[in-house]
Amino acid sequence: PDTIKRISAKKAISDLASIVKELVDNALDAESTTIKIRLFGQGLEIIEVSDDGCGVPPSSRPYMATKHATSKITSIDDIYSGTGLTMGFRGEALFSMANVSQQLIVATRTDAEELATKLVFGNDGTLVVPNKNGDTPSKDQQQQQQFEQFPRKVGTTVAVVQPF
């Protein structure tokens, strides 16, 4: 099953450059004026893209790395109208990045929030909330825990940890 997941994920994400391209496309869609790209270990350890865009709305956050998730369309009619202004809407990029990496870490803040929220997604695209001792808690414990919040300018940072 893991092999099948990785092969299908590579339809959207085929190499390190495609990870950077998709993250820059997302930043442009978020109306960013500044985009920073950092590579650790030439991108083999971490690829990090930060922007000063609008941030990810709280209601979209739990689903942003799940298959077919997108906030760019809300109805089938959107495919034929407003989406021409975006870099894409297929909802596979973050899911695929999660699938081909150890984990996906997202820090985001909207203009309506005082603090940014950090979210960690496992390689299956689901949210992971570690306990203070580093263990992964049960689903019930995850729902009770608060996500880490910290100061950050409005925008989003995505870190793809150990891709491929």
Side-chain angles (χ1 to χ4, degrees):
D2 187 52
T3 302
I4 294 167
K5 179 174 66 173
R6 285 179 170 264
I7 290 170
S8 64
K10 287 188 176 184
K11 290 179 184 174
I13 302 298
S14 58
D15 56 19
L16 299 177
S18 62
I19 291 173
V20 173
K21 178 211 173 288
E22 292 289 346
L23 292 174
V24 169
D25 284 353
N26 286 351
L28 292 171
D29 284 343
E31 300 179 3
S32 301
T33 58
T34 302
I35 301 169
K36 296 179 184 176
I37 302 167
R38 297 188 338 159
L39 304 176
F40 298 85
Q42 298 178 330
L44 296 173
E45 294 174 24
I46 300 172
I47 297 173
E48 180 183 275
V49 175
S50 297
D51 68 54
D52 64 350
C54 60
V56 178
S59 61
S60 296
R61 292 175 188 167
Y63 313 105
M64 61 198 276
T66 58
K67 193 170 188 170
H68 307 306
T70 182
S71 60
K72 297 176 186 175
I73 60 172
T74 56
S75 74
I76 194 71
D77 294 332
D78 291 342
I79 293 174
Y80 305 105
S81 58
T83 58
L85 303 174
T86 71
M87 302 300 291
F89 56 81
R90 70 180 181 279
E92 293 289 318
L94 291 178
F95 173 72
S96 295
M97 286 177 216
N99 283 184
V100 300
S101 66
Q102 186 180 65
Q103 62 182 195
L104 188 71
I105 302 170
V106 180
T108 190
R109 176 183 163 213
T110 65
D111 196 32
E113 297 171 293
E114 290 185 29
L115 296 171
T117 301
K118 176 183 171 183
L119 303 106
V120 178
F121 297 91
N123 66 3
D124 61 353
T126 59
L127 268 172
V128 176
V129 184
N131 284 328
K132 292 186 193 309
N133 63 5
D135 296 335
T136 302
S138 69
K139 294 249 186 233
D140 290 337
Q141 290 171 321
Q142 287 183 26
Q143 290 173 350
Q144 294 171 2
Q145 290 177 343
Q146 202 62 354
F147 291 107
E148 182 181 341
Q149 293 192 309
F150 56 93
R152 183 209 194 283
K153 293 180 179 179
V154 172
T156 302
T157 298
V158 178
V160 182
V161 180
Q162 295 184 346
F164 305 105

